[in-house]
């Protein structure tokens, strides 16, 4: 079984629907350190939204927590266990709290950012947008963009140009400008993803990119309020 942690802000009123932010951690990262690392609870208190820290599946043979971004994306996405888990987790939260269903957002860091992006694209009926910090896609998921029948959902990309773990400019056949390593086959990082999304219907009103100087592979808590304001102003269906 997977675990999750829920933070409900002190101003929560059961009579008022509130947004929900699902936080997806990076590779091998547990959910217990996320509150301090992301500082999302401070942002939740200021803006009155619920935070849900979602756990990756524990892969016993590899002895690690890992999102199923390394998936054969030619197969039906409904078979991906992470998409099933995240959808069911949102449904569970809705049973216990008064959720503004037009403002449920997936946010993630590193491999969690990859899954947040995939969740927003594959489950637009569940997620109203996503934040992709130091993120990427792999196993040629980018070939599914645009997802068939998909209307663009609001997306925020945040990435440091000095990131040595997920090079901001990686794409198949390229060489990382930070490390000099050849980029993994089938992998796209933020520069290429933002360009691809822009070419497939994501205009400036639906796509925001913080391309940061002098920043490596870290969550950027100083931007929490900025991306929340931007996404919160773009609920499902508009207003």
């Amino acid at each position: 079984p997977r675990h999750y942690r829920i933070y409900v802000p002190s101003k929560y009123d059961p009579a008022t629907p509130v947004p929900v932010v699902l936080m997806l951690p990076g590779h091998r990262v547990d959910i217990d350190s996320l509150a301090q690392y992301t500082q999302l609870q401070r942002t939740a208190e200021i803006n009155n939204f619920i935070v849900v820290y979602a756990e990756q599946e524990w892969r016993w043979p590899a002895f690690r927590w890992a999102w199923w971004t390394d998936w054969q994306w030619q197969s039906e996405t409904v078979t991906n266990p992470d998409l099933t888990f995240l959808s069911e987790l949102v449904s569970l939260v809705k049973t216990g709290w008064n959720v503004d269903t037009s403002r449920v957002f997936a946010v993630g860091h590193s491999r969690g950012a990859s899954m947040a992006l995939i969740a927003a694209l594959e489950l637009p009926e569940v997620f109203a947008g996503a934040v992709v910090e130091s993120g990427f896609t792999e196993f040629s998921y980018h070939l599914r963009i645009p997802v068939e029948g998909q209307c663009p959902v609001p997306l925020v990309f945040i990435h440091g140009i000095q990131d040595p773990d997920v090079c901001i400019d990686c794409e198949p056949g390229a060489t990382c400008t930070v490390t000099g390593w050849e980029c993994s086959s089938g992998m796209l990082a933020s520069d290429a993803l933002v360009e691809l999304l822009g070419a497939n219907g994501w205009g400036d009103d639906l796509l925001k990119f913080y391309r940061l100087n002098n920043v490596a592979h870290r969550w950027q808590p100083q931007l929490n309020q900025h991306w929340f304001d931007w996404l919160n102003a773009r609920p499902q269906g508009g207003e």
Side-chain angles (χ1 to χ4, degrees):
R2 295 207 210 183
H3 301 89
Y4 55 88
R5 297 175 69 101
I6 298 178
Y7 179 79
V8 180
S10 59
K11 293 184 291 185
Y12 171 74
D13 179 352
T16 304
V18 296
V20 171
V21 170
L22 260 70
M23 172 64 210
L24 283 58
H27 187 52
R28 299 178 184 267
V29 177
D30 65 66
I31 59 175
D32 296 321
S33 61
L34 291 178
Q36 181 177 4
Y37 181 59
T38 65
Q39 298 181 35
L40 275 173
Q41 291 174 198
R42 178 177 181 275
T43 313
E45 280 293 323
I46 294 170
N47 298 278
N48 197 32
F49 64 79
I50 292 172
V51 184
V52 182
Y53 303 105
E55 186 176 68
Q56 306 166 78
E57 189 164 79
W58 179 258
R59 300 203 202 175
W60 178 252
F63 207 67
R64 61 192 171 108
W65 283 291
W67 297 105
W68 287 98
T69 56
D70 50 339
W71 192 254
Q72 297 302 327
W73 293 108
Q74 299 85 346
S75 61
E76 289 294 322
T77 55
V78 294
T79 62
N80 183 283
D82 289 335
L83 293 175
T84 300
F85 168 66
L86 293 173
S87 179
E88 291 178 349
L89 183 54
V90 172
S91 295
L92 184 147
V93 175
K94 290 178 183 177
T95 65
W97 291 271
N98 189 354
V99 171
D100 181 347
T101 57
S102 70
R103 290 182 169 89
V104 178
F105 307 115
V107 310
H109 179 249
S110 194
R111 184 163 265 111
S114 177
M115 185 49 64
L117 173 62
I118 292 167
L121 295 179
E122 299 292 339
L123 301 171
E125 71 281 5
V126 176
F127 295 104
V131 177
V132 185
E133 292 212 25
S134 303
F136 61 95
T137 59
E138 60 181 342
F139 278 58
S140 298
Y141 178 80
H142 63 277
L143 298 179
R144 287 185 55 82
I145 300 172
V147 178
E148 185 177 354
Q150 165 73 3
C151 294
V153 294
L155 299 171
V156 179
F157 282 78
I158 301 171
H159 210 136
I161 65 174
Q162 298 300 320
D163 189 336
D165 298 306
V166 178
C167 302
I168 192 172
D169 54 352
C170 265
E171 58 183 52
T175 301
C176 170
T177 55
V178 176
T179 65
W181 302 332
E182 184 177 346
C183 298
S184 300
S185 176
M187 176 179 172
L188 262 68
S190 294
D191 279 355
L193 286 170
V194 167
E195 182 178 355
L196 176 61
L197 289 160
N200 283 282
W202 274 260
D204 291 342
D205 189 53
L206 293 173
L207 184 61
K208 193 169 186 66
F209 187 17
Y210 294 91
R211 196 176 191 276
L212 305 176
N213 296 322
N214 302 315
V215 169
H217 195 67
R218 296 284 298 175
W219 182 266
Q220 302 299 308
Q222 76 278 9
L223 293 178
N224 287 354
Q225 187 64 56
H226 294 277
W227 60 250
F228 179 77
D229 286 343
W230 193 83
L231 286 176
N232 197 49
R234 291 161 174 81
Q236 286 175 332
E239 285 189 346

